[in-house]
């Protein structure tokens, strides 16, 4: 803006004294403040310099661009009071799935599953100890018929985010392991699409609707049918 | 309780975040010709007009600097009977929030001589922080002019 120079004395003086490069951790480390702050990032001088970046003058383009942005419709908003639904998104094998937060109890570190005698088949993998409570651990991959070994394709990932997920149902809690938990995702009901009739995916029997998320289609599982199926399988 | 901090000149002021709807960048306002002192125009906020008040202009007599840290605080301004209208406040250095106990704010002792929108003050290591009451920011006469003008404009 052309009038910025006259109105704000500090605007002219936002040139940064980069003391962290001269006497700080990127310089010769001779700054006496390093004794107390250990690293420049803890130092109030560094903080003030960072704040000073916000005292740079605004360009007319910036203001006009934002004016146009806020003049438009609010992104993704149809009705301000419309209720948001929330799901937890997780991955098993190649499939990204979502389950309503209402049945989610806990996401825990993966731990050893103790197998049960005579229950080597089926969906029950054994029991796990989650903070002192013994829970039945089931295999979601088997229940939903997902190819668990598809994860091998993701070997390029340096980190594994395997987690144990605990969900609640009417008669107790139950655990299953997933390969990755993305976290809670909130969406408006209009973000949902119906499950395509031709879908060949194994999980489709339990999939209620599809949710577009980060360029993927995530199947939202029907918690009632899922919990019923679990109850039948472990009875 | 959380407060949103801004500056008028060198001094720090806070607003209760309960009243704040959003903090916007300093967008270019549409000038309302003949608007009263302190009103710098109106902005188009998702299709609806929101009047814009420059706090520096009201309190210090000079407009807020056009720098990145100058932002618009969009507040819900009470207009009686539980109704609120949006009002934009242009303020400098809207870059921090502050968590304080509301009981820390005590009368400054010179309220009689102050403008009506200034409230009690709280102290910290760097000086005093003044609480601004958004309800009192517009004198009733100005409020009537402003919202009537916007309501009747096409």
């Amino acid at each position: 803006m052309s009038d910025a120079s006259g109105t704000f004395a500090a605007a002219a003086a936002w040139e940064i004294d980069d003391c962290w490069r001269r006497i700080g951790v990127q310089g010769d480390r001779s700054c006496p403040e390093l004794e107390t702050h250990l690293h420049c990032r803890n130092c109030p001088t560094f903080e003030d310099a960072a704040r000073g970046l916000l005292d740079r003058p605004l360009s007319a383009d910036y203001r006009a661009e934002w004016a146009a942005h806020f003049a438009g419709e609010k992104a993704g908003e149809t009705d301000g009071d419309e209720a948001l639904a929330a799901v937890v998104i997780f991955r098993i094998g190649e499939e990204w799935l979502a389950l309503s937060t209402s049945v989610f109890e806990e996401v825990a570190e993966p731990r050893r599953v103790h197998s049960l005698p005579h229950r080597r088949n089926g969906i029950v993998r054994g029991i796990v100890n989650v903070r002192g409570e013994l829970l039945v651990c089931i295999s979601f991959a088997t229940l939903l018929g997902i190819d668990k070994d598809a994860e091998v394709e993701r070997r390029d990932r340096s980190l594994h985010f395997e987690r144990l997920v605990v969900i609640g149902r009417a008669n107790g809690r139950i655990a299953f392991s997933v390969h990755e938990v993305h976290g809670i995702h909130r969406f408006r009901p209009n973000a949902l699409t119906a499950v395509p009739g031709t879908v060949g995916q194994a999980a489709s029997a339990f999939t209620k609707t599809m949710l577009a998320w980060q360029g993927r289609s995530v199947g939202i599982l029907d918690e009632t049918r899922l919990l019923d199926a679990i109850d039948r399988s472990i009875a | 309780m959380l407060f949103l901090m801004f500056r008028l000149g060198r001094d720090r002021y806070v607003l209760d975040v309960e009243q704040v709807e959003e903090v916007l960048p300093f967008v270019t306002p549409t000038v309302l010709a003949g608007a009263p002192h302190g009103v710098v125009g109106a902005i188009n906020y998702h299709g609806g007009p929101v009047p814009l008040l420059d706090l520096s202009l009201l309190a210090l007599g000079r407009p807020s600097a056009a720098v990145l840290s100058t932002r618009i605080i969009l507040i819900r301004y009470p207009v009686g009977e539980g109704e609120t209208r949006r009002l934009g406040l242009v303020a400098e250095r809207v870059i921090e929030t502050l968590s304080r106990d509301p009981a820390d704010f005590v009368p400054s002792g010179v309220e009689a001589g102050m403008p009506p929108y200034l409230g009690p003050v709280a102290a910290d290591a760097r000086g005093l922080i003044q609480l601004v009451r958004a309800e009192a920011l517009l004198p009733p006469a100005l409020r009537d002019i402003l919202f009537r003008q916007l309501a009747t404009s096409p």
Side-chain angles (χ1 to χ4, degrees), chain B residues 33-153:
Chain B
H37 178 73
V39 179
V40 288
I43 56 168
N44 180 346
Y45 180 72
H46 302 307
V50 174
L52 207 57
L53 209 65
D54 190 330
L55 292 181
S56 299
L57 199 59
L58 263 186
L60 309 173
R62 62 150 178 87
S64 294
V67 294
L68 283 167
S69 60
T70 297
R71 295 195 170 116
I72 295 171
I73 307 169
L74 201 66
I75 60 164
R76 285 181 223 102
Y77 185 83
V79 286
E81 280 106 60
E83 264 187 76
T84 58
R85 302 291 288 269
R86 291 195 183 107
L87 177 67
L89 305 175
V90 182
E92 290 179 347
R93 297 210 143 219
V94 189
I95 50 179
E96 274 178 275
T97 55
L98 177 80
S99 227
R100 287 294 285 256
D101 183 352
D104 289 350
F105 288 89
V106 293
S108 59
V110 286
E111 304 229 331
M114 291 171 92
Y117 48 84
L118 292 179
V121 297
D124 74 352
R126 285 152 72 194
L128 291 174
I129 302 164
Q130 304 185 49
L131 183 64
V132 173
R133 293 196 304 267
E135 307 87 79
L137 273 171
L138 290 178
L142 178 58
R143 173 176 23 160
D144 283 351
I145 296 168
L146 203 61
F147 286 116
R148 200 189 321 130
Q149 190 176 351
L150 281 164
T152 52
S153 63

Side-chain angles (χ1 to χ4, degrees), chain A residues 129-209:
Chain A
N129 176 353
V130 178
R131 292 189 291 141
E133 189 184 357
L134 293 180
L135 300 175
V136 176
C137 181
I138 60 164
S139 165
F140 244 49
T142 313
L143 179 69
L144 302 178
I146 297 170
D147 184 7
K148 219 176 12 175
D149 301 322
E151 58 152 340
V152 194
E153 287 174 30
R154 294 179 161 262
R155 209 185 293 151
D156 56 318
R157 294 200 168 200
S158 53
L159 289 166
H160 288 278
F161 297 105
E162 206 160 300
R163 291 285 183 271
L164 192 74
V165 167
V166 181
I167 56 172
R169 54 196 181 104
N171 40 353
R173 311 199 305 164
I174 201 155
F176 61 93
S177 64
V178 298
H179 291 125
E180 196 172 329
V181 174
H182 164 73
I184 296 172
H185 178 70
R186 287 187 177 77
F187 59 93
R188 288 173 191 285
N190 60 12
L192 296 173
T193 49
V195 184
T198 55
V199 75
Q201 282 172 328
S204 63
F206 293 105
T207 309
K208 194 164 50 174
T209 44

Side-chain angles (χ1 to χ4, degrees), chain A residues 1 4 7-8 11 51 53-58 62-64 66-67 69-74, chain B residues 22 24-29 44-47 62-63 65-69 71 92-93 95-96:
Chain A
M1 287 300 285
T7 51
F8 201 47
R51 290 230 169 94
L53 291 174
L54 289 168
D55 287 336
R56 285 176 295 176
L58 279 171
Y62 176 90
R63 297 185 63 181
W66 277 110
H69 172 84
F70 285 106
E73 285 287 306
K74 214 166 191 175
Chain B
E22 196 173 350
L24 311 176
F26 191 16
V27 303
T28 319
N44 180 346
Y45 180 72
H46 302 307
R62 62 150 178 87
V67 294
L68 283 167
S69 60
R71 295 195 170 116
E92 290 179 347
R93 297 210 143 219
I95 50 179
E96 274 178 275

